[in-house]
Amino acid sequence: MIRVQIPATTANMGPGFDTLGMALKLYNIVEMEEAKRGLHINVEGDGADKIPRDASNIVYISAAKVFKTVGFEPKGLRIRMINNIPLARGLGSSAAAIIGGLLAANILSGGRLGEKELLNLATEIEGHPDNVAPALVGGIVVTVQADNEIKYYKIEPPPKLKCVVAIPNFTLPTKLAREVLPQSVSLTDAVYNIGRTALLVTALIKQDFNMLSAAMDDKIHQPYRANLVPGMKKVFAAAKLAGARGIALSGAGPALIAYCDDNTGLIATVMKETFLQSGIYARVIELEPNPVGAVALEIMK
Ligand code: HSE
């Protein structure tokens, strides 16, 4: 039996829409083994009542893609998902399922695909690489699509970086959060984000927390998504006043993620209370950046 542990991820990191992401120390588990016949899917934990148990399950779709690519035909398949990453909140639950399915299926079929091929397959399934890349390789990952593949660099997260994540008690499907975005942006807004994305990557490499507040601002997705997350702008302002070095919508939301080096307790309280003022109950947790990506084990029975 193959067991894969996959980290949660936060995409965009403010200005780096569809290009930047970071792994976090919160995990889902995917277990997979060949069965005598049929598809058997068991789901435990977050979203267990919503996740399909048939061929439309994303872990199965991902596994089937690997099997097709390498020409492996299992007689049947048994999948178990143990979910700790909140579903559809902006913390990479679908990326974790995709990476879990791909990695487990790759090992089950002889380990013929390497990291790059797995990342390319993951991006084909997810549509953008910014969650799947850090879920696979860990750390902070800069990604672009070029020459029909994903080009990427992994950066080690600054050791002192801590994250406070406020997770509202409603889901926001990524599809909906993408539908509110414009098809094109002005040159001014493009330049605004290009500069900040470059500044953010440099600040993270230099471990310069003073630059995060300016570097994490964004004009191409968060302003359009603000209406989908009541209180978002107020939580941003309050968290910064409480000492957060930078703050962003985590992925497509609705979770918000504050980047901190200190004062995490106060920042957590302030984020929770400010959300409450807008009528939103949010669970607030502290999560550390995760330098390590998905880990797979083969367990002999
Ligand atoms: N970059 C993606 C978005 C991440 O913001 O829509 C969510 O999957």
Side-chain angles (χ1 to χ4, degrees):
M1 189 254 289
I2 313 298
R3 176 178 294 158
V4 189
Q5 173 182 277
I6 319 100
T9 46
T10 181
N12 303 329
M13 304 178 77
F17 180 71
D18 277 1
T19 62
L20 289 185
M22 178 167 70
L24 299 167
K25 288 187 179 171
L26 174 70
Y27 306 95
N28 279 3
I29 305 285
V30 168
E31 291 178 352
M32 192 180 289
E33 64 186 345
E34 192 167 353
K36 288 203 179 102
R37 68 187 74 83
L39 176 61
H40 312 271
I41 300 179
N42 185 277
V43 187
E44 295 162 38
D46 207 284
D49 51 336
K50 298 190 187 79
I51 293 171
R53 268 76 164 168
D54 58 17
S56 67
N57 178 286
I58 189 90
V59 174
Y60 174 73
I61 289 174
S62 307
K65 201 152 177 111
V66 169
F67 296 149
K68 190 169 176 224
T69 306
V70 303
F72 178 79
E73 287 181 16
K75 293 193 274 298
L77 203 62
R78 196 176 306 280
I79 292 170
R80 181 176 177 214
M81 301 169 68
I82 305 169
N83 293 344
N84 295 304
I85 304 171
L87 201 67
R89 298 300 212 288
L91 289 166
S93 57
S94 70
I98 292 167
I99 294 299
L102 292 177
L103 269 181
N106 189 40
I107 296 173
L108 208 59
S109 55
R112 278 176 263 177
L113 303 179
E115 185 176 282
K116 272 192 160 198
E117 289 157 308
L118 291 168
L119 183 53
N120 290 333
L121 286 183
T123 306
E124 268 178 42
I125 301 167
E126 177 86 323
H128 38 86
D130 48 343
N131 285 106
V132 288
L136 181 63
V137 305
I140 296 166
V141 191
V142 184
T143 54
V144 301
Q145 310 202 35
D147 309 327
N148 291 319
E149 62 172 23
I150 303 302
K151 311 271 189 199
Y152 60 101
Y153 277 127
K154 173 177 169 179
I155 303 167
E156 293 303 322
K160 289 191 181 132
L161 180 61
K162 295 171 188 153
C163 298
V164 176
V165 187
I167 309 165
N169 67 347
F170 64 90
T171 56
L172 177 53
T174 299
K175 188 171 177 291
L176 175 65
R178 292 179 84 86
E179 277 168 11
V180 301
L181 302 181
Q183 287 306 304
S184 55
V185 297
S186 69
L187 184 61
T188 314
D189 287 354
V191 171
Y192 192 95
N193 272 55
I194 292 165
R196 278 160 183 77
T197 305
L199 197 68
L200 176 58
V201 171
T202 312
L204 291 165
I205 293 170
K206 286 176 170 282
Q207 302 181 23
D208 182 2
F209 288 72
N210 292 324
M211 198 59 93
L212 293 185
S213 178
M216 285 179 67
D217 205 12
D218 152 73
K219 282 208 173 164
I220 68 172
H221 72 108
Q222 292 178 168
Y224 303 98
R225 290 169 162 172
N227 286 339
L228 302 173
V229 186
M232 183 184 107
K233 286 184 185 158
K234 286 184 186 157
V235 179
F236 277 15
K240 282 190 187 179
L241 272 179
R245 297 308 204 109
I247 182 159
L249 195 60
S250 184
L256 306 185
I257 182 162
Y259 289 39
C260 321
D261 55 351
D262 211 347
N263 302 315
T264 50
L266 176 64
I267 294 163
T269 306
V270 161
M271 289 173 81
K272 190 178 188 79
E273 285 179 1
T274 310
F275 252 138
L276 267 182
Q277 286 166 14
S278 295
I280 301 296
Y281 177 79
R283 181 161 68 99
V284 183
I285 53 175
E286 203 180 306
L287 288 176
E288 282 178 39
N290 192 345
V292 180
V295 179
L297 289 174
E298 185 160 5
I299 295 166
M300 300 301 175
K301 287 215 270 186

